[in-house]
Amino acid sequence: FQEPTLLPWRTVRRNLELLPELNGFARADCRRRAEEQAARVGLTPALNRYPCQLSTGMRMRASVASCSVMSSWVTTQPSFSE
């Protein structure tokens, strides 16, 4: 329920890049989105670390950032409701 949802074999950066990557975004765009979200939650210095190298709080922030990495894309899409 409250466990971080990070893939242990991927760095924080690669975990944050996962959703955009699976949605077909270009590599550079994935990296940009990951860096933006890492900065938003204060994890820029930890981008190249693996989840096992992070404190529990940092893992939670990385999980939140990985979920919200697509939110900027979702909110900029046109709305079809009138």
Side-chain angles (χ1 to χ4, degrees), residues 23 25 33 69-77:
N23 282 283
F25 285 88
R33 288 172 182 272
V69 74
M70 292 297 293
S71 66
S72 62
W73 179 77
V74 171
T75 57
T76 59
Q77 296 306 303

Side-chain angles (χ1 to χ4, degrees), residues 8-74:
W9 59 88
R10 293 175 74 113
T11 62
V12 171
R13 179 188 310 276
R14 296 290 292 140
N15 270 289
L16 296 181
E17 292 174 351
L18 183 61
L19 284 177
E21 183 181 307
L22 293 175
N23 282 283
F25 285 88
R27 180 85 172 125
D29 196 30
C30 293
R31 181 168 290 258
R32 180 186 57 78
R33 288 172 182 272
E35 290 172 357
E36 286 173 359
Q37 289 304 315
R40 177 180 255 179
V41 296
L43 288 177
T44 301
L47 278 172
N48 295 317
R49 293 185 188 166
Y50 289 90
C52 66
Q53 298 173 312
L54 304 175
S55 69
T56 303
M58 292 172 85
R59 284 195 299 269
M60 292 303 290
R61 287 186 284 153
S63 289
V64 169
S66 70
C67 292
S68 61
V69 74
M70 292 297 293
S71 66
S72 62
W73 179 77
V74 171

